[in-house]
């Protein structure tokens, strides 16, 4: 914040006044916004306008958690458009699979590997067998191979 011009600093501080963020999230927000401005050769005020951040922050909805999530999401998408698009595509693939609620897929967040961790919980031999059956059904779903390709 110290290296920013007064107007930019006030703009950022107005965000922090309206939405309480941890120090790590504040730093993330500042760095992403600075990167967007440098990459696109725009001012911080222009970035706020392009991302409709004022409208979001001035929304009368009192759910600050929802606002924080949306704020971070918009800035992340603007900073990393290709990564965001790839995540959306992957989420569409996962959503298209008919995964039993007892099965959990853990996918690498930043696509650093193709390895997928599959987990399930069982509290009885019956729930264990049921989870294995659900896993067996999952292997024959047509969209599953798309998680491991590309």
């Amino acid at each position: 914040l110290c290296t920013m011009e007064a107007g930019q600093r006030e703009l950022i501080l107005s965000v922090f006044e309206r939405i309480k963020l941890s120090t790590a999230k504040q730093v993330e927000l500042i760095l992403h916004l600075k990167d967007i401005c440098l990459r696109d050769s725009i001012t911080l005020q222009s970035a706020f306008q392009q991302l409709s951040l004022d409208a979001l922050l001035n929304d009368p909805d009192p759910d600050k958690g929802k606002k924080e999530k949306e704020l971070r999401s918009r800035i992340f998408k603007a900073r990393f458009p290709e990564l965001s698009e790839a995540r959306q595509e992957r989420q569409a693939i996962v959503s298209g699979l008919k995964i039993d609620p007892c099965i959990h897929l853990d996918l690498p967040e930043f696509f650093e590997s193709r390895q997928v961790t599959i987990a399930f919980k069982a509290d009885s031999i019956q729930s264990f067998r049921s989870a294995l059956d659900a896993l067996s059904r999952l292997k024959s779903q047509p969209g599953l191979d798309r998680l491991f390709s590309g």
Side-chain angles (χ1 to χ4, degrees), residues 76 83 86-87 90 106-117 147-150:
F76 186 87
L83 178 59
R87 283 180 174 175
R90 184 174 64 183
D106 187 17
L107 306 165
E109 185 176 3
F110 296 103
F111 300 86
E112 61 272 16
S113 80
R114 291 185 186 176
Q115 190 172 34
V116 176
T117 301
L147 284 179
F148 295 96
S149 61

Side-chain angles (χ1 to χ4, degrees), residues 102-103 119-123 127-128 131:
C102 71
I103 304 292
F120 62 86
K121 290 184 179 181
D123 58 6
S127 64
F128 180 79

Side-chain angles (χ1 to χ4, degrees), residues 69-136:
K69 185 176 180 178
E70 181 61 24
L71 174 73
R72 293 181 67 222
S73 174
R74 287 184 192 186
I75 293 171
F76 186 87
K77 285 177 185 176
R79 174 62 185 94
F80 303 104
E82 289 147 2
L83 178 59
S84 296
E85 185 178 331
R87 283 180 174 175
Q88 286 177 330
E89 288 173 7
R90 184 174 64 183
Q91 184 55 44
I93 292 169
V94 171
S95 297
L97 296 172
K98 295 176 182 86
I99 301 175
D100 190 284
C102 71
I103 304 292
H104 174 74
L105 298 181
D106 187 17
L107 306 165
E109 185 176 3
F110 296 103
F111 300 86
E112 61 272 16
S113 80
R114 291 185 186 176
Q115 190 172 34
V116 176
T117 301
I118 302 172
F120 62 86
K121 290 184 179 181
D123 58 6
S124 68
I125 190 67
Q126 182 56 37
S127 64
F128 180 79
R129 288 181 180 137
S130 178
L132 288 178
D133 289 343
L135 195 56
S136 183

Side-chain angles (χ1 to χ4, degrees), residues 1-16 44-45:
L1 285 174
C2 295
T3 62
M4 293 180 155
E5 296 174 12
Q8 293 177 334
R9 188 172 36 253
E10 292 302 317
L11 191 56
I12 292 292
L13 289 174
S14 73
V15 172
F16 298 158
L44 188 59
Q45 291 79 359

Side-chain angles (χ1 to χ4, degrees), residues 31-43:
L31 292 176
H32 287 345
L33 284 170
K34 281 179 132 182
D35 288 345
I36 292 165
C37 292
L38 285 171
R39 180 193 66 208
D40 298 344
S41 299
I42 59 174
T43 65

